[in-house]
Amino acid sequence: MEKEIEKLQELIDSSNRIVFFGGAGVSTESGIPDFRSVDGLYNQQYDYPPETILSHSFFMRKPEEFYRFYRNKMLCDTARPNEAHKKLAQLEQAGKLKAVVTQNIDNLHQMAGSKKVLELHGSVYRNYCMRCGKFYDFDFMKNTEGVPHCTCGGMIKPDVVLYEEALDQDTISESVQMIAQADLLIIGGTSLVVYPAAGLIDYYRGKHLVVINKSATPRDREADLLIQQPIGYVFSQIHVKGE
């Protein structure tokens, strides 16, 4: 493990256009459950599978059931940034990290101080009326009951990409651009099985690829460095230096 950390430190020190691509595993050490882990959302009992509940058609058809699950499982206001979030923010401040591309919707990167965060799947901290477009924040949604409605009467929807919905094209384009220009790509806390997000890795043409994930991923063979340890622990060992 020491050698792996040393190698990661060397790669970070010698790189100036780092991009981090992360998923649910980045936030599990902050207390947010991973969808696919043994104790994750996908293995908990509900009337419908989480994939069904978190689909656009289910949201439109059974909004009451959607919001019961959403408030219970998706609105976590007790989570705080862990060492991975904090070190990534410090790397950005040091001028080394150019962007965080995340599949998470929990806002923890921003809470840690990261400025350039590309949220592929949206955020639970943004919610909009489907009729007039009025914005509603996290606290409003947390404190509502049943199906939340706008002052105009329209139903409020989280700015989260549900199953059956397309990713935001501007976010995809900017993510592709950042990944394509990177000299070091660090993939962390993601199984790389959710598409189209996972496909963005194909645009990387830089020098070194690092994968930090507890379980195997489809990119392990391509990695210059593979660390199968909790990502918060790994980043806690990294020292951030200026350019």
Side-chain angles (χ1 to χ4, degrees):
M1 184 65 183
E2 273 186 35
K3 287 184 179 178
E4 293 170 341
I5 295 295
E6 283 177 18
K7 176 69 171 174
L8 178 60
Q9 185 75 60
E10 286 173 17
L11 290 174
I12 289 173
D13 290 345
S14 62
S15 303
N16 291 305
R17 293 197 62 82
I18 304 170
V19 169
F20 179 81
F21 182 93
V26 179
S27 296
T28 51
E29 288 164 89
S30 293
I32 294 180
D34 179 358
F35 271 58
R36 289 176 177 78
S37 62
V38 175
D39 57 347
L41 294 182
Y42 278 40
N43 291 286
Q44 295 175 7
Q45 294 301 310
Y46 256 80
D47 293 341
Y48 303 88
E51 299 101 321
T52 300
I53 296 174
L54 296 175
S55 67
H56 178 81
S57 54
F58 189 91
F59 172 77
M60 298 303 294
R61 195 172 68 249
K62 293 181 177 288
E64 300 89 353
E65 186 70 10
F66 171 89
Y67 272 110
R68 187 172 75 86
F69 179 89
Y70 182 76
R71 285 192 190 90
N72 192 21
K73 298 297 182 186
M74 310 297 283
L75 293 183
C76 178
D77 55 2
T78 57
R80 294 294 177 264
N82 60 51
E83 282 301 311
H85 299 105
K86 293 173 184 176
K87 286 291 168 69
L88 288 167
Q90 290 170 25
L91 284 168
E92 182 186 46
Q93 288 157 15
K96 286 190 160 289
L97 184 84
K98 300 307 177 186
V100 168
V101 181
T102 181
Q103 299 170 79
N104 296 339
I105 58 175
D106 52 39
N107 206 50
L108 289 176
H109 286 292
Q110 290 93 329
M111 288 183 193
S114 289
K115 304 298 183 190
K116 188 67 170 180
V117 182
L118 298 168
E119 297 172 312
L120 295 173
H121 296 152
S123 173
V124 295
Y125 280 74
R126 298 187 300 268
N127 307 273
Y128 298 96
C129 172
M130 296 177 72
R131 182 182 295 172
C132 74
K134 184 178 177 180
F135 170 83
Y136 289 89
D137 63 13
F138 182 98
D139 290 337
F140 176 87
M141 299 296 281
K142 185 80 174 176
N143 294 313
T144 55
E145 294 181 1
V147 180
H149 286 88
C150 176
T151 50
C152 78
M155 184 164 66
I156 300 169
K157 181 184 182 296
D159 188 17
V160 171
V161 180
L162 301 175
Y163 289 102
E164 304 165 352
E165 292 180 343
L167 273 62
D168 178 72
Q169 281 303 313
D170 290 340
T171 305
I172 290 178
S173 297
E174 194 168 2
S175 298
V176 166
Q177 183 181 4
M178 299 308 293
I179 289 170
Q181 294 173 352
D183 59 3
L184 171 61
L185 179 62
I186 303 175
I187 298 172
T190 173
S191 54
L192 292 177
V193 296
V194 177
Y195 281 81
L200 299 180
I201 306 303
D202 292 336
Y203 292 94
Y204 181 58
R205 296 289 184 269
K207 297 177 186 175
H208 301 289
L209 177 66
V210 174
V211 176
I212 307 170
N213 198 54
K214 288 197 288 186
S215 58
T217 82
R219 301 286 176 165
D220 289 358
R221 289 184 181 180
E222 301 165 39
D224 297 287
L225 176 61
L226 174 63
I227 305 179
Q228 292 184 314
Q229 298 288 336
I231 192 164
Y233 172 74
V234 172
F235 271 100
S236 72
Q237 310 296 305
I238 295 299
H239 302 286
V240 178
K241 305 166 187 175
E243 286 187 291

